[in-house]
């Protein structure tokens, strides 16, 4: 699986997003630092030259003085802007501490990068959900944008009985069940977040700015809709069901891979609780609330 953290676009987005929480960031780059620090220095210099960091719109020590014409004022402004940029670049290249500040062009670049990454997402082979390779990256972006009052909810689902669909019918029957499963989730989540295929019949749901209560209602509705879907298996209708783990995060320090793993662990608890007689399973939701996991069957 490709490492999204090595994507230069993601690195630039991650750096610019830091300024959402603070106005200035103190940085120092030295020549004997690791290569990732050198790459960040290159990126910072590029952002400065593109006036996304410390541009004219964030100048704080410019003094107009007394001038005879607007032409003189413009020339003075241009000169001071270039001098400030030169001093900043000099200090960076010489390993001095510098204060970096994001300007309006930096905010626009941040929004542009988010749109660019979203538009570059791939679809899984059936063309219904997003490819799971983008799940962690998109969750990382959602975590960057999250706030305590607008947390990120994440669900992990595993369809029940895929092996039985394949064995009692055939692989075409199994594919039909997976497609129906994907379509139900895509429709149920379409206006709340995005759905990603992580494996054969495993799915991750990322819902930005969604509280746990709202996410729980959304996932219960999706699981209920699954029960209304049937697939013909050897001439008999068989309903769909799924186990689902759900949690909500509000800290910007969360790692997306850890969050998805915890949601999967909750899903496994839901899977254990989903068993009925004769190998039949029902849809079950396991919700992480603090240190507890509460399981609810549909």
């Amino acid at each position: 699986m490709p490492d999204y953290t090595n994507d230069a676009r993601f690195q630039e987005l991650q750096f610019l997003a830091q300024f959402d929480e603070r106005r200035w960031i103190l940085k120092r780059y030295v020549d004997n630092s690791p290569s990732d620090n050198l790459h960040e220095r290159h990126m910072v210099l590029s952002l400065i030259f593109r006036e996304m960091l410390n541009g004219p719109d964030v100048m704080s020590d410019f003094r107009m003085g007394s001038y005879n014409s607007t032409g003189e004022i413009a020339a003075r402004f241009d000169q001071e802007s270039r001098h400030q940029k030169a001093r900043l670049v000099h200090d960076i290249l010489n390993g001095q501490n510098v204060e970096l500040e994001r300007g309006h062009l930096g905010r626009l670049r941040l929004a542009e990068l988010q749109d660019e990454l979203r538009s570059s997402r791939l679809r899984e082979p059936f063309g219904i959900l997003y490819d799971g390779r983008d799940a962690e990256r998109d969750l990382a972006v959602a975590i960057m944008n999250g706030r305590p009052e607008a947390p990120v909810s994440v669900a992990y689902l595993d369809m029940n009985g895929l092996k039985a669909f394949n064995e009692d019918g055939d692989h075409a029957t199994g594919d039909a069940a997976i497609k129906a499963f994907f379509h139900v989730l895509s429709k149920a989540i379409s206006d709340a977040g995005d759905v990603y295929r992580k494996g054969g019949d495993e799915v991750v749901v990322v819902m930005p700015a969604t509280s746990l209560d709202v996410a729980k209602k959304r996932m219960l509705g999706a699981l209920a809709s699954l029960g209304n879907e049937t697939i013909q298996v050897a001439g008999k209708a068989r309903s769909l069901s799924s186990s689902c783990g759900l949690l909500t995060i509000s800290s910007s320090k969360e790692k997306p891979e850890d969050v998805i793993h915890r949601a999967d662990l909750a899903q496994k608890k839901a899977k254990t609780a989903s068993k009925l007689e004769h190998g039949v399973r029902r849809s079950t939701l396991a919700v992480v609330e603090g240190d507890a996991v509460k399981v609810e069957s549909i």
Side-chain angles (χ1 to χ4, degrees):
M1 180 179 293
D3 185 357
Y4 66 93
T5 60
N6 289 327
D7 186 331
R9 297 170 302 173
F10 179 82
Q11 292 172 348
E12 191 169 284
L13 183 153
Q14 189 176 42
F15 188 87
L16 289 171
Q18 297 177 84
F19 295 92
D20 287 340
E21 298 181 352
R22 43 192 165 163
R23 181 175 176 181
W24 294 286
I25 292 178
L26 186 66
K27 284 288 183 177
R28 179 171 179 259
Y29 301 100
V30 294
D31 287 336
N32 61 351
S33 58
S35 60
D36 55 347
N37 195 267
L38 178 63
H39 293 160
E40 183 179 298
R41 185 178 74 175
H42 294 162
M43 177 184 65
V44 166
L45 289 170
S46 174
L47 290 168
I48 290 170
F49 283 116
R50 287 180 285 162
E51 298 188 341
M52 296 171 184
L53 292 178
N54 297 64
D57 56 334
V58 297
M59 289 174 59
S60 59
D61 59 351
F62 177 62
R63 299 291 182 268
M64 295 296 293
S66 178
Y67 296 95
N68 296 322
S69 68
T70 54
E72 290 183 359
I73 295 174
R76 170 61 178 157
F77 181 85
D78 181 63
Q79 181 185 50
E80 182 62 24
S81 178
R82 287 187 291 111
H83 283 177
Q84 287 195 19
K85 183 182 295 184
R87 286 195 297 270
L88 179 63
V89 170
H90 173 273
D91 289 345
I92 290 174
L93 295 178
N94 285 276
Q96 302 299 311
N97 287 324
V98 295
E99 281 190 349
L100 301 175
E101 183 176 358
R102 185 184 67 187
H104 182 65
L105 289 178
R107 290 192 293 273
L108 291 177
R109 177 59 177 163
L110 178 60
E112 179 184 89
L113 285 166
Q114 294 195 34
D115 290 342
E116 185 177 329
L117 290 178
R118 288 180 64 84
S119 66
S120 70
R121 293 182 297 186
L122 302 174
R123 293 281 181 174
E124 46 83 27
F126 290 140
I128 303 169
L129 306 182
Y130 290 112
D131 192 296
R133 287 174 291 184
D134 292 326
E136 289 185 3
R137 184 195 68 187
D138 288 357
L139 176 54
V141 174
I143 291 171
M144 288 181 209
N145 294 331
R147 298 290 182 274
E149 66 277 11
V152 182
S153 289
V154 178
Y156 199 108
L157 297 96
D158 182 15
M159 190 181 80
N160 294 329
L162 176 59
K163 182 179 179 181
F165 277 113
N166 287 327
E167 292 179 348
D168 298 341
D170 52 27
H171 284 292
T173 304
D175 284 350
I178 292 174
K179 290 178 183 178
F181 176 54
F182 288 174
H183 277 300
V184 168
L185 293 179
S186 179
K187 182 178 180 181
I189 309 299
S190 61
D191 61 340
D194 295 309
V195 190
Y196 305 82
R197 183 182 188 178
K198 286 291 285 183
D201 60 344
E202 297 181 16
V203 168
V204 170
V205 178
V206 177
M207 293 174 279
T210 304
S211 68
L212 185 61
D213 287 342
V214 172
K216 180 179 176 181
K217 291 177 182 177
R218 184 66 63 135
M219 298 316 302
L220 285 172
L223 294 176
S225 296
L226 275 180
N228 297 325
E229 290 289 326
T230 59
I231 300 296
Q232 291 295 316
V233 182
K236 295 182 180 180
R238 183 177 298 180
S239 297
L240 297 180
S241 65
S242 174
S243 56
C244 176
L246 175 67
L247 55 81
T248 296
I249 55 173
S250 57
S251 171
S252 61
K253 301 187 186 310
E254 293 276 9
K255 295 182 178 180
E257 59 272 21
D258 293 341
V259 174
I260 291 175
H261 178 65
R262 296 205 309 270
D264 185 26
L265 291 178
Q267 178 274 135
K268 287 178 168 61
K269 291 190 176 183
K271 181 72 75 177
T272 300
S274 70
K275 293 180 181 179
L276 296 172
E277 295 180 352
H278 309 297
V280 177
R281 291 181 183 271
R282 58 188 172 183
S283 286
T284 310
L285 174 67
V287 182
V288 179
E289 298 184 15
D291 294 330
V293 178
K294 298 182 179 180
V295 180
E296 184 174 340
S297 298
I298 308 300

